[in-house]
Amino acid sequence: MTATEVRTGTGTRTMTMVAAINDALAVALERDAKVCLFGEDVGVMGGVFRATDGLQARFGRERVFDTPLAEAGIVGMGIGMGLAGMRPVAEIQFAGFLYPALDQILSHLGRYRHRTRGRFSVPMVIRAPYGGGVHTPEQHADSPEAVLAHVPGVKVVIPSSPTDAKGLLLAAIEDPDPVFFFESIKLYRSTKEEVPEGHYTVPLGKARLVREGDDVTVVCYGGMVEVCTKAADAARAHGIGVEVVDLRTLVPMDTETVLASVRKTGRVVIVTEAPRTGGFHNEIAALVAERALDSLLAPVVRVTGFDAPYPPFTSVEDTYRPNATRVAKAIKQVLDY
Amino acid sequence: MTEPQEQDMLTIIDASGGCVRPDLVPDEETLARLYRAMRRARHFDERAVVLHRQGRMGVYPPFGGMEASQAGTALALTHDDWLLPTYRDTGAALTYGLPISQIVLYWRTSPHGWAMPEGLKVLPFYIPIATQYPHAVGCALAERMQGRRNVAMAYIGDGGSSEGDFHEALNFAGALDAPCVFVLQNNGWAISVPTTAQTRAVNLSRRAEGYGIPGVRVDGNDIVAVHHVTREAVERARAGGGPTLIETVTYRVKPHTVSDDPGRYRTEDLTREWLEKDPVTRLRTYLTTRGLWDDAREDALTRDITQEFEAAVEEADRFSEPTPSEIVDHVFATPTPQLTEQRAQLLEEYGA
Ligand SMILES: Cc1ncc(C[n+]2csc(CCOP(=O)(O)OP(=O)(O)O)c2C)c(N)n1
């Protein structure tokens, strides 16, 4: 069942991304008694970003609850719940605080189906706000998606719009396997759009063309989509057609959409706010090198964060995180080659 | 019957400023030192909130109301001992001797605030909860292995004591006889989660038993009691007697940080009760009753502390903003070729 077809609502409502996430969680709790939510401060307080606002009051303390402060416990317990028939949705307060749970994630989360040859699996979703751009304190702006994408057996989803966030989150919750769902802190409240009410899903593994264009392909995801779209619109004003591919999910990756675009334009810029070395963006470069080399008119260009921890130094933070100017420069670079 | 909160808890100066354990009261000079340290800490905390409002400091987690717990513990150390504070423990760090200008710069998110002063054995404020606890075990053992009788003191909150790192560290310290003092500040809240939801345990100091080490519970708003038990723990560790867990029972009367709205998760009835037990007022009342303190001395102290603070802020103001290329400095002792290239790129894009 691919679910864009199964829409239950009729109208739309104006929502920010965080409101759309809240709405998706409510729809999931409403539809499936096996769905439960837990994490630090998600109950009474409704989460530090208000993503779970009002859900405890509406669905009760048994299904929406605060845990003790321990990420390994949160993920480990969620694995147990998933094994035993529930659909746990855990919130990790910030992606940078996921690390105590890495043991559970690397040792078990992605491995259970494989090591029991299909007998047991963990249909769990782990949501975590990630990324920079809003002057959070030290260690609150990490982008560790590549770490998770490297773990066999877990999917990684990173939405870039309210509508996608809701549909992808519902798809993630309904997915039979573990899914990481990273939410750009910068995007939580930066834009609003009309979001369908009720239930719908956006399938995992399907990229989205945010802008179409014939000259340059820009591949990005999450918080960088806004930045790249800005750069693309500026280029359009100069008669340059930039195609912006929003990956939406890193695992599984929609290789066909990326390759089709690169084959059309012959030029590719890959953008991420994660550190440069060893990041997921390199996977895209490798894909292009393996399968679209013949189409390339210029070398691949990466626009990334730096090989240093995300700076907690407010006044220079914006020089770490790629902005439209840096993306525009990269677009020019592949065009001028 | 006493409230479960108050079971097995040592108090020397009670909430009304009366002395309930005259046998444990230190000399006048120590009392004055304790009072001064709390007033310094409080002054910082109050001014920090103002600096934040003026846009001269970033997000800041206030500790007002917890001065006894922080200053009373930190004052038991010498500069040969290690201090491992969390973001909440600005009061402990400045009591230990971290310069106020440095702390202002830290909360201003300037790299100058991150550059810890040479020769001072204080580690930067820990943000990832509980991660400092195993470090303290390592610092303490390293001191012993290098033939020195110094200790390591690490702070944690009630919420932090749920993390695995907390439990592993206590067990390591016990098993390896590490000269550590573990301060668990039970302030009733971990952001929106009350301690009663964090754990079914009421007396958190009793967790020490599970690791075979001493645990003590102390009135965290009574600096005389806090200092008393901490000195004992430090002496025991120094003498080779191993680690101690100290639970200071106090309350977060302030919001979690300056950008938190506690109205979302609590009413302030309990806060008002705890304000009645204020640590600074309590000691002042006691000192005044004994004739050791008066308004003139209070005014002089206020002047002193205000001057010190204002001078420190001026000093902090003299530091320049960082340049973009500083982002990639200090990643390795010798930068990788990639970082060298990235630094050049930043210089090209942003200059200087
Ligand atoms: C590993 C980790 N998880 C989550 C957080 C987010 N967080 C910051 S403070 C806090 C609550 C801490 O409560 P407590 O340990 O009681 O200390 P307090 O803030 O009351 O001093 C949380 C959950 C974090 N900083 N680190």
Side-chain angles (χ1 to χ4, degrees):
Chain A
M1 169 171 88
T2 53
T4 1
E5 299 139 32
V6 223
R7 242 191 79 184
T8 59
T10 44
T12 62
R13 208 151 43 85
T14 317
M15 292 184 210
T16 58
M17 191 164 97
V18 72
I21 288 165
N22 182 277
D23 193 41
L25 294 171
V27 169
L29 284 159
E30 187 79 60
R31 277 169 60 96
D32 185 352
K34 290 182 185 305
V35 173
C36 61
L37 310 188
F38 50 89
E40 294 157 12
D41 304 288
V42 302
V44 179
M45 190 191 188
V48 294
F49 290 103
R50 315 288 182 248
T52 56
D53 200 15
L55 297 179
Q56 185 178 67
R58 187 162 156 207
F59 295 98
R61 292 172 168 271
E62 182 77 7
R63 296 184 68 197
V64 180
F65 58 97
D66 288 326
T67 64
L69 202 177
E71 292 74 13
I74 291 170
V75 174
M77 179 182 75
I79 291 174
M81 284 180 171
L83 291 173
M86 294 295 288
R87 295 221 162 231
V89 181
E91 175 176 302
I92 297 292
Q93 201 160 83
F94 287 86
F97 301 137
L98 182 66
Y99 312 140
L102 282 181
D103 179 18
Q104 290 292 342
I105 294 163
L106 294 163
S107 305
H108 291 296
L109 186 65
R111 221 181 276 255
Y112 239 105
R113 180 183 297 283
H114 188 262
R115 68 190 284 259
T116 60
R117 313 313 297 157
R119 163 70 175 91
F120 289 107
S121 59
V122 186
M124 178 180 187
V125 172
I126 300 173
R127 297 179 34 248
Y130 89 100
V134 296
H135 304 322
T136 42
E138 194 184 10
Q139 309 197 356
H140 288 67
D142 280 13
S143 295
E145 65 273 16
V147 177
L148 285 315
H150 198 62
V151 182
V154 307
K155 297 181 180 175
V156 180
V157 178
I158 312 186
S160 72
S161 75
T163 306
D164 270 9
K166 181 175 169 184
L168 287 166
L169 183 51
L170 281 164
I173 294 170
E174 288 160 28
D175 196 273
D177 286 303
V179 181
F180 273 92
F181 197 84
F182 287 114
E183 302 161 5
S184 162
I185 298 172
K186 178 71 170 37
L187 296 184
Y188 266 149
R189 292 189 162 76
S190 64
T191 48
K192 284 184 181 173
E193 67 184 17
E194 287 301 305
V195 175
E197 288 183 314
H199 177 269
Y200 66 94
T201 57
V202 171
L204 308 187
K206 203 74 209 86
R208 174 171 73 113
L209 295 186
V210 186
R211 292 286 185 274
E212 293 186 33
D214 294 332
D215 302 317
V216 179
T217 299
V218 174
V219 185
C220 53
Y221 52 83
M224 286 294 107
V225 173
E226 182 188 51
V227 168
C228 295
T229 308
K230 219 193 243 175
D233 291 344
R236 163 94 39 214
H238 293 96
I240 301 158
V242 176
E243 184 143 295
V244 178
V245 180
D246 171 6
L247 279 184
R248 282 174 164 163
T249 66
L250 309 194
V251 180
M253 178 169 52
D254 181 356
T255 53
E256 287 321 309
T257 299
V258 174
L259 289 171
S261 180
V262 174
R263 288 190 185 118
K264 176 171 71 172
T265 63
R267 300 179 185 89
V268 59
V269 172
I270 308 163
V271 186
T272 177
E273 62 184 294
R276 190 168 184 82
T277 296
F280 190 81
H281 47 283
N282 301 321
E283 192 63 32
I284 303 160
L287 171 77
V288 171
E290 279 176 353
R291 310 225 336 236
L293 193 63
D294 295 349
S295 317
L296 285 187
L297 302 170
V300 171
V301 171
R302 295 173 292 163
V303 181
T304 68
F306 294 85
D307 286 335
Y310 189 92
F313 316 130
T314 309
S315 62
V316 290
E317 173 176 345
D318 294 337
T319 60
Y320 182 100
R321 195 170 182 264
N323 53 29
T325 314
R326 267 173 72 194
V327 176
K329 233 174 115 180
I331 290 170
K332 188 167 178 327
Q333 192 183 335
V334 291
L335 282 167
D336 290 351
Y337 179 75
Chain B
M1 235 195 68
T2 50
E3 293 291 307
Q5 264 287 311
E6 280 158 21
Q7 272 169 23
D8 307 321
M9 187 172 91
L10 176 71
T11 298
I12 296 175
I13 308 296
D14 68 18
S16 67
C19 179
V20 291
R21 290 293 303 271
D23 54 318
L24 298 180
V25 173
D27 58 33
E28 293 174 11
E29 197 194 315
T30 307
L31 287 171
R33 223 157 54 93
L34 295 175
Y35 184 68
R36 184 188 161 82
M38 276 199 294
R39 286 281 283 101
R40 250 183 111 234
R42 172 150 305 177
H43 187 80
F44 181 97
D45 196 61
E46 288 173 353
R47 296 295 299 149
V49 173
V50 175
L51 286 182
H52 170 78
R53 272 198 228 110
Q54 296 170 338
R56 294 165 73 197
M57 239 171 69
V59 176
Y60 171 75
F63 61 86
M66 297 169 64
E67 293 87 349
S69 167
Q70 298 198 7
T73 46
L75 272 182
L77 298 182
T78 74
H79 275 182
D80 292 322
D81 300 316
W82 287 95
L83 186 90
L84 292 87
T86 79
Y87 53 88
R88 179 80 58 213
D89 306 313
T90 299
L94 70 88
T95 301
Y96 177 89
L98 190 63
I100 291 178
S101 55
Q102 169 102 28
I103 302 174
V104 170
L105 284 162
Y106 177 90
W107 290 115
R108 202 170 263 187
T109 79
S110 159
H112 302 293
W114 261 259
M116 300 307 283
E118 292 289 339
L120 205 58
K121 292 158 90 171
V122 51
L123 295 172
F125 300 114
Y126 278 74
I127 305 276
I129 305 285
T131 49
Q132 67 281 9
Y133 256 47
H135 297 185
V137 179
C139 291
L141 287 178
E143 289 294 326
R144 192 178 73 206
M145 290 163 130
Q146 294 171 93
R148 299 189 292 254
R149 299 179 84 77
N150 304 323
V151 310
M153 186 184 290
Y155 292 80
I156 203 162
D158 40 284
S161 75
S162 293
E163 289 276 10
D165 275 355
F166 169 82
H167 296 273
E168 293 182 24
L170 256 55
N171 191 46
F172 267 57
L176 302 172
D177 242 343
C180 285
V181 178
F182 296 113
V183 180
L184 195 179
Q185 301 186 90
N186 183 351
N187 68 4
W189 294 91
I191 309 186
S192 73
V193 178
T195 311
T196 47
Q198 191 68 238
T199 175
R200 217 154 131 169
V202 175
N203 181 335
L204 304 187
S205 71
R206 290 189 56 190
R207 289 176 170 178
E209 275 172 41
Y211 304 108
I213 68 174
V216 289
R217 193 155 205 257
V218 63
D219 182 336
N221 282 18
D222 173 8
I223 193 168
V224 177
V226 170
H227 190 59
H228 176 80
V229 301
T230 314
R231 264 196 10 242
E232 277 185 350
V234 168
E235 277 162 25
R236 178 164 48 241
R238 229 189 267 300
T244 304
L245 173 65
I246 299 172
E247 178 192 3
T248 63
V249 179
T250 179
Y251 197 77
R252 203 196 76 211
V253 294
K254 304 280 178 183
H256 173 65
T257 69
V258 284
S259 43
D260 173 42
D261 168 18
R264 287 186 63 87
Y265 53 81
R266 73 180 193 193
T267 59
E268 296 301 327
D269 315 350
L270 253 184
T271 310
R272 277 186 288 278
E273 266 177 50
W274 276 90
L275 285 170
E276 294 294 310
K277 307 181 195 174
D278 184 71
V280 178
T281 317
R282 173 188 307 210
L283 187 57
R284 186 175 169 187
T285 306
Y286 173 71
L287 293 176
T288 309
T289 315
R290 276 191 51 187
L292 300 173
W293 202 252
D294 53 29
D295 288 349
R297 277 182 257 205
E298 181 73 18
D299 292 344
L301 178 61
T302 306
R303 260 197 312 278
D304 242 35
I305 290 171
T306 309
Q307 250 170 34
E308 183 196 11
F309 182 86
E310 295 313 321
V313 173
E314 271 175 38
E315 191 184 333
D317 287 346
R318 282 198 292 272
F319 282 89
S320 51
E321 290 287 342
T323 56
S325 63
E326 283 179 63
I327 287 174
V328 292
D329 290 346
H330 299 293
V331 179
F332 292 107
T334 309
T336 59
Q338 290 72 24
L339 279 162
T340 305
E341 201 180 291
Q342 289 169 30
R343 192 171 199 282
Q345 180 198 333
L346 280 165
L347 282 173
E348 188 200 311
E349 276 171 33
Y350 299 101

